[in-house]
Amino acid sequence: MKIEINDIAKILRDNNDFYILTHKSPDGDTLGSAAALCLALQKMDKSAKILCSDEIPGKYGFLFEHVKNQNFEPGYIISVDVADIQLLGENLSCYADRVDLCIDHHLMNQQFAKVSYVKSGFAATAEIIYEIINALGVNVDADIAGCIYTGISTDTGCFRHLNATSHSYRVAADMIDHGANAFEINKIMFDTKSRAKLSLEKIALESLKFFCGNKGAMITLTNEEIIRFGACSSDFDGLSAIPRQIEGVLIGVFIKEEHPGIFKVSMRTDAAIDASKICANFNGGGHRCAAGCTICGDLVDVKNRIISQIERYLRDAEG
Amino acid sequence: MKIEINDIAKILRDNNDFYILTHKSPDGDTLGSAAALCLALQKMDKSAKILCSDEIPGKYGFLFEHVKNQNFEPGYIISVDVADIQLLGENLSCYADRVDLCIDHHLMNQQFAKVSYVKSGFAATAEIIYEIINALGVNVDADIAGCIYTGISTDTGCFRHLNATSHSYRVAADMIDHGANAFEINKIMFDTKSRAKLSLEKIALESLKFFCGNKGAMITLTNEEIIRFGACSSDFDGLSAIPRQIEGVLIGVFIKEEHPGIFKVSMRTDAAIDASKICANFNGGGHRCAAGCTICGDLVDVKNRIISQIERYLRDAEG
């Protein structure tokens, strides 16, 4: 049975006491979508609350400013932006086989819920939430608009990623007209750096090394450096993109020593080069232009092994 | 007499042999607007060419890929995105008192042309060009769409600046639907760095210094460093924003030694602090959140003078 938007609206009207589950390591789309939906349901005088397995980073705090804190047992459980039941995380695993409705935009959604509403053509789950709120006939106020804008902007890297469609831009425009403060939101999401992040960037730039006649560039962070600057996971955002951004570089590599002797490798490549093939040599994988793998050893050895696989790939490609 | 969009369309239909003038130190909006208008006029079988006082940076080359190279004497002269006649630059100064039509979005446009069409509510001149092309009834193809998208995206800092309106987003959405490759354009405009730029960033980060109890942060580049890395003007883009982006920093200062002993100071502040007032102490000026000044002396002295003016401002503000 194909579920339409009006079926979703009917389900939400007919039920109450909503638990809205977000994915672990929460981002702007899962949180913005959850907050927008929660605000809309509360406007309909429903009880609704948002749950997340992990602590919510402080920069997302503004999304929840006008969400009412309500305590109740769940009557209907919804997941937003959760592609796979594993992604609910440890603290929400008790709901794993109890999800009534899954709202998501991931092509590979595992259809784990009783009802799934997945639109993979959308850049962000927040775009789907906007459609649902419209179908419910709830007025989009500035708070809801800010939440939806945040979901779209963060999932598209502020409209820079390949996934941003004209639909994303048009929903963002509607949200601005409904009062979303796009400037402030983007400032918080993209133009604010912790001191730890800045220190990591500096150290990473100092480690910059070119190879394969400057077609490749590599930056590294050792475990000792990561610990020294007290870095948290969000401090690494964007670091893996740096080497590939350099003019003329086709293959960018970021090596992070997650634990002593265990190196997480992120590879970003030009469209002409298949990063996932190179990473497959180390039992890794991913997409054509963004892939990764984990290698154990010492740093010099790990670097050399990666560079020689890249050299081999380029030789084969040219040969 | 108020000029309407249809008057502009009539003027363009009634004339021929167009010279389209851009501003000096050209950016994505003046060049994207000029290229879109030139392509549209050439589609109408008019003769049209684009002129710029300065060399056009290589990254904008794609805008002109399908512009036909035509040689002719000017019959009608248009300026795009030029707020002030001085901004035509030295090599176009011969046209200074011959501009027939000025198309611009700057509030402070000096109305130097015979006819001015200024819409200051628009984030980019490219948004006005889109209206004009629609009024002309010319079909917006992928080339024109790419030029208009580039103008909007660059003038809004990829939709991050305060000037981006819902209109900017909607025109951008239309351009994507007409074939603009937003991903590629933004990659070229925002995600590509020269090696010189990267070196400057590294050096600037190494110079980072906090003051006023971490409310202020400052980075510096000496003339020797600038020369050492062979930096060109576009390599400094974005550097002045770095110190203000640091969490908790209200006042960011970037000091660039343009010539030995001559320091250009760029100040970026939180909305609560008036950068233009602080810079006025050094005969500088600008906007509330972005201002600048030039100070002569030696680096240590210049730094100290700026910091003591900031300290004074903060004391007065708190007092």
Side-chain angles (χ1 to χ4, degrees), chain A residues 150-212:
Chain A
T150 301
I152 297 171
S153 176
T154 52
D155 251 27
T156 60
C158 205
F159 304 93
R160 289 193 196 178
H161 295 166
L162 200 49
N163 62 349
T165 65
S166 56
H167 185 265
S168 317
Y169 283 77
R170 289 201 179 96
V171 176
D174 286 357
M175 295 307 99
I176 291 171
D177 287 340
H178 281 96
N181 189 338
F183 172 71
E184 268 307 318
I185 292 169
N186 289 328
K187 191 168 129 185
I188 296 166
M189 295 299 139
F190 300 104
D191 279 340
T192 305
K193 287 182 184 182
S194 71
R195 290 177 68 161
K197 186 181 175 72
L198 211 73
S199 301
L200 291 181
E201 270 187 27
K202 189 178 81 174
I203 297 288
L205 285 180
E206 280 165 6
S207 75
L208 179 66
K209 181 184 153 85
F210 292 91
F211 56 90
C212 291

Side-chain angles (χ1 to χ4, degrees), chain B residues 1-298:
Chain B
M1 189 188 88
K2 178 131 175 57
I3 299 287
E4 304 288 346
I5 188 81
N6 289 327
D7 304 322
I8 302 296
K10 184 173 181 336
I11 287 172
L12 297 178
R13 273 195 214 99
D14 291 349
N15 284 281
N16 203 345
D17 298 331
F18 296 97
Y19 273 24
I20 304 171
L21 313 184
T22 58
H23 65 67
K24 66 180 181 180
S25 304
D27 62 14
D29 193 24
T30 198
L31 295 175
S33 294
L37 183 59
C38 190
L39 286 165
L41 291 169
Q42 290 185 345
K43 273 191 158 196
M44 295 165 71
D45 287 324
K46 306 274 189 186
S47 295
K49 67 188 290 181
I50 299 161
L51 290 88
C52 187
S53 185
D54 297 327
E55 203 185 329
I56 292 170
K59 69 176 179 177
Y60 297 116
F62 74 95
L63 295 171
F64 307 101
E65 215 172 297
H66 296 107
V67 171
K68 276 177 271 173
N69 218 330
Q70 300 178 318
N71 275 314
F72 53 87
E73 287 302 306
Y76 193 86
I77 300 178
I78 306 171
S79 69
V80 288
D81 200 42
V82 180
D84 185 313
I85 207 73
Q86 306 297 330
L87 296 173
L88 285 178
E90 206 181 317
N91 294 320
L92 299 187
S93 60
C94 53
Y95 302 110
D97 48 13
R98 295 172 58 194
V99 180
D100 295 296
L101 170 64
C102 161
I103 303 169
D104 189 27
H105 72 125
H106 292 96
L107 182 62
M108 304 305 281
N109 183 285
Q110 297 299 311
Q111 309 274 335
F112 51 80
K114 288 176 200 131
V115 175
S116 291
Y117 190 68
V118 178
K119 298 194 85 167
S120 63
F122 284 176
T125 296
E127 295 176 40
I128 311 173
I129 299 293
Y130 179 49
E131 286 198 344
I132 293 172
I133 292 175
N134 280 337
L136 285 169
V138 173
N139 174 43
V140 175
D141 58 23
D143 289 323
I144 293 176
C147 294
I148 292 173
Y149 183 91
T150 300
I152 298 171
S153 176
T154 53
D155 250 27
T156 60
C158 206
F159 304 92
R160 288 191 197 180
H161 296 167
L162 199 50
N163 62 349
T165 65
S166 56
H167 184 266
S168 318
Y169 283 77
R170 289 200 179 96
V171 177
D174 285 358
M175 294 308 100
I176 292 171
D177 287 341
H178 281 97
N181 190 337
F183 172 70
E184 268 305 318
I185 291 169
N186 288 327
K187 193 168 128 187
I188 296 167
M189 295 298 138
F190 301 105
D191 279 340
T192 305
K193 288 182 184 182
S194 71
R195 288 176 71 163
K197 186 181 173 72
L198 211 73
S199 300
L200 291 181
E201 271 187 27
K202 189 178 81 175
I203 297 287
L205 285 179
E206 280 165 5
S207 75
L208 180 66
K209 179 184 155 88
F210 292 91
F211 56 92
C212 291
N214 297 331
K215 282 182 195 153
M218 180 184 274
I219 58 174
T220 48
L221 282 178
T222 66
N223 193 252
E224 183 274 319
E225 287 160 348
I226 293 167
I227 290 168
R228 179 164 20 124
F229 294 109
C232 68
S233 64
S234 68
D235 292 329
F236 299 99
D237 291 354
L239 279 178
S240 53
I242 290 176
R244 230 295 291 128
Q245 288 174 340
I246 303 167
E247 215 168 10
V249 170
L250 304 178
I251 306 166
V253 180
F254 168 45
I255 303 179
K256 179 179 149 198
E257 189 180 14
E258 291 216 297
H259 304 283
I262 302 175
F263 296 87
K264 200 181 153 195
V265 179
S266 304
M267 197 172 288
R268 298 285 180 274
T269 57
D270 194 77
I273 289 162
D274 191 341
S276 69
K277 271 197 185 163
I278 301 169
C279 290
N281 291 301
F282 304 102
N283 299 315
H287 306 279
R288 186 174 177 87
C289 295
C293 57
T294 300
I295 311 181
C296 299
D298 75 83

